[in-house]
Amino acid sequence: MTLKLLINITGNLVTCLKTTRNGKAVAGFTLAFPGIPWARFYSQQLSPTLVKVPVENLKLVTNLEQMGVDMAQVRKRHAILLKKTITYEQKLKQFLIDKGADAKMVASIISRYPRAITRKHEVLDEMWDIWKGILGTDATVLSVAQRSPESFFRTSNTENFLKNIRYIQSLGLPPKVLSQLMVKSPRTFANTVDLNKQNVEYLLGLCTQLGGKNPREFVREMISRNIFILTKSTNRIQSNVESMKSLMKLDDQALLLWIQGDGAPLLSLSYSYFENNYTGTHAVLKNLGCTESEISLYIFTLPKVLLMTPKIFENKINVLLGCGVDVTEILNTPHVMAVNINSLKSRIKELKELGYDFRSSGIGVLLLSQAKFDTRVGRLRSSGSSEDSAGQC
């Protein structure tokens, strides 16, 4: 009898296991006991929607709401943070107020960088002193924390932060560049010092590889002109160097000159982005009748055109061609392509209404600062008014 019972149980369990292994939910199985009514036992797979997850910390949410924090932004940026049981939002608020902030500024900082509330007071104090040592005043540090909260609050490892500052200072960078790195590229200081050293070693080797005679000066130029360079992988940089060399047909000397100058920002472009933008921009200019040498010289003179997509580049070209000038005029005024397209359209419309002749006077006027442009427009208006008055006489 015991043997029969075991056989029945084992058979049913094997059947259930096979069913589960085939990807089907286990609905149930029956155990048959001789002389006892049949009994059915059920098992149920948990639905993903039924899995329990930690709920938000009500006290934390209430605190943040009372501080005026935009909770929609917090949930979008770092929802998991609201489930934490230990945070320092009240101490953070007091710390920033002591440094000159107001309640609205504190709420804005937390809304845009919620992780700030996880920083302990002593860490904030140490980090503030480090930043102040570089930037000079509490007001300047506070302006950074307000404008770009991630820059100041990104890392809490003060020891690593200090080591990175000392290492980067040892490269001989001007204080202004060090400040820009801290403000605009905080990830540089979140890197381990060893990683930054590896990246610098790569740049030193790149200079030597291209025939450069002063690798340390090359590194200073690279970082000064591309403050994100130490946060990019060496594989990405190498890929862009190879694409530049092959597509633009540059020799080592020309390439070295370009990437330690205006071409430096292009080394940070993601994989294939440089290649795609170069190919697209080249095609637009080729279709307009430009020669290979004209295209190469144009891109070499204004590498910023490769930071925009070919579609945006083509749209700007078409807006400028709409002035009545030919493509040669655009090539001879390369920096006009760096002007925002909406600004270009607005200025062209205003000048056309005043009778400005782009074909005879050129498109250089589109490059003027706003103050100088307004002065130029004022003169055109005055000139037009004078002619109207003379005609009425």
Side-chain angles (χ1 to χ4, degrees):
M1 170 136 179
T2 304
L3 183 59
K4 271 189 180 180
L5 179 61
L6 286 173
I7 290 172
N8 282 334
I9 292 174
T10 304
N12 282 292
L13 284 174
V14 169
T15 302
C16 291
L17 288 172
K18 284 181 179 178
T19 306
T20 306
R21 190 164 50 198
N22 289 335
K24 299 176 183 177
V26 179
F29 61 90
T30 304
L31 294 182
F33 295 87
I36 302 175
W38 287 40
R40 182 171 290 275
F41 296 85
Y42 295 89
S43 69
Q44 180 182 2
Q45 288 186 332
L46 281 176
S47 165
T49 57
L50 297 178
V51 177
K52 290 185 178 180
V53 295
V55 296
E56 290 182 348
N57 180 345
L58 183 58
K59 181 181 177 182
L60 170 59
V61 172
T62 302
N63 282 344
L64 295 178
E65 286 176 341
Q66 290 175 347
M67 291 165 65
V69 173
D70 186 334
M71 298 307 295
Q73 275 200 62
V74 172
R75 290 187 175 97
K76 182 179 179 181
R77 295 172 188 271
H78 208 339
I80 194 70
L81 192 67
L82 298 177
K83 297 176 174 62
K84 283 187 170 289
T85 55
I86 301 176
T87 51
Y88 307 97
E89 63 278 2
Q90 296 293 358
K91 290 182 178 179
L92 171 64
K93 178 181 178 180
Q94 191 57 54
F95 177 84
L96 291 172
I97 286 176
D98 290 343
K99 299 298 182 183
D102 56 26
K104 185 177 180 181
M105 189 186 298
V106 174
S108 174
I109 287 172
I110 297 174
S111 299
R112 288 178 292 130
Y113 196 72
R115 285 174 57 191
I117 67 174
T118 65
R119 304 300 182 227
K120 295 180 179 179
H121 185 278
E122 51 269 28
V123 171
L124 291 175
D125 229 11
E126 289 178 27
M127 197 63 75
W128 194 275
D129 288 341
I130 295 171
W131 279 77
K132 187 176 177 181
I134 301 297
L135 302 184
T137 65
D138 286 334
T140 309
V141 179
L142 183 61
S143 70
V144 171
Q146 178 187 15
R147 186 173 65 254
S148 177
E150 181 186 9
S151 297
F152 182 78
F153 295 102
R154 181 181 181 88
T155 180
S156 60
N157 189 337
T158 53
E159 183 181 356
N160 185 69
F161 196 82
L162 268 174
K163 285 181 179 179
N164 270 315
I165 287 178
R166 294 191 190 105
Y167 173 66
I168 291 171
Q169 283 176 325
S170 75
L171 300 175
L173 292 169
K176 181 181 178 182
V177 175
L178 181 60
S179 299
Q180 289 177 334
L181 281 167
M182 292 176 68
V183 173
K184 297 181 179 179
S185 184
R187 279 186 58 198
T188 302
F189 301 90
N191 284 349
T192 63
V193 179
D194 285 342
L195 179 57
N196 280 331
K197 286 181 177 179
Q198 288 172 23
N199 290 341
V200 168
E201 287 297 326
Y202 166 78
L203 294 176
L204 292 169
L206 177 61
C207 178
T208 303
Q209 175 190 329
L210 296 175
K213 304 301 182 185
N214 194 338
R216 287 185 67 83
E217 179 60 28
F218 172 78
V219 169
R220 284 192 288 271
E221 285 291 325
M222 286 294 302
I223 297 174
S224 298
R225 292 177 175 272
N226 183 349
I227 58 172
F228 304 103
I229 194 72
L230 294 181
T231 66
K232 307 304 176 184
S233 75
T234 55
N235 287 338
R236 174 187 294 194
I237 297 171
Q238 186 63 36
S239 173
N240 284 325
V241 167
E242 291 169 1
S243 293
M244 290 172 183
K245 196 169 184 178
S246 62
L247 290 172
M248 296 185 66
K249 298 178 175 59
L250 298 173
D251 60 27
D252 288 351
Q253 186 177 1
L255 179 59
L256 182 67
L257 177 68
W258 200 49
I259 63 175
Q260 71 178 11
D262 292 339
L266 301 179
L267 291 176
S268 292
L269 295 179
S270 58
Y271 294 106
S272 77
Y273 196 86
F274 173 85
E275 188 173 340
N276 292 339
N277 284 9
Y278 179 87
T279 304
T281 300
H282 182 280
V284 171
L285 293 173
K286 192 73 174 174
N287 289 338
L288 291 172
C290 299
T291 65
E292 288 294 330
S293 59
E294 286 176 329
I295 295 172
S296 295
L297 179 61
Y298 179 73
I299 293 176
F300 192 88
T301 305
L302 189 70
K304 284 183 179 179
V305 296
L306 299 184
L307 295 175
M308 63 183 79
T309 65
K311 184 64 177 176
I312 292 175
F313 177 77
E314 186 175 20
N315 288 343
K316 283 188 177 183
I317 287 281
N318 289 336
V319 166
L320 292 169
L321 291 175
C323 296
V325 300
D326 59 28
V327 70
T328 304
E329 176 70 17
I330 298 173
L331 293 179
N332 291 335
T333 319
H335 293 285
V336 74
M337 291 297 289
V339 181
N340 178 277
I341 191 167
N342 291 328
S343 180
L344 284 177
K345 289 178 179 179
S346 173
R347 288 187 170 193
I348 289 170
K349 181 174 182 292
E350 193 170 0
L351 289 169
K352 277 186 172 181
E353 289 173 351
L354 294 171
Y356 184 87
D357 187 348
F358 287 98
R359 187 178 290 275
S360 61
S361 302
I363 58 177
V365 64
L366 300 173
L367 282 168
L368 295 176
S369 67
Q370 190 59 50
K372 290 182 178 180
F373 180 78
D374 290 341
T375 300
R376 186 69 174 272
V377 168
R379 287 176 185 166
L380 288 172
R381 283 205 178 95
S382 297
S383 174
S385 299
S386 299
E387 290 175 6
D388 289 343
S389 299
Q392 290 173 2
C393 291

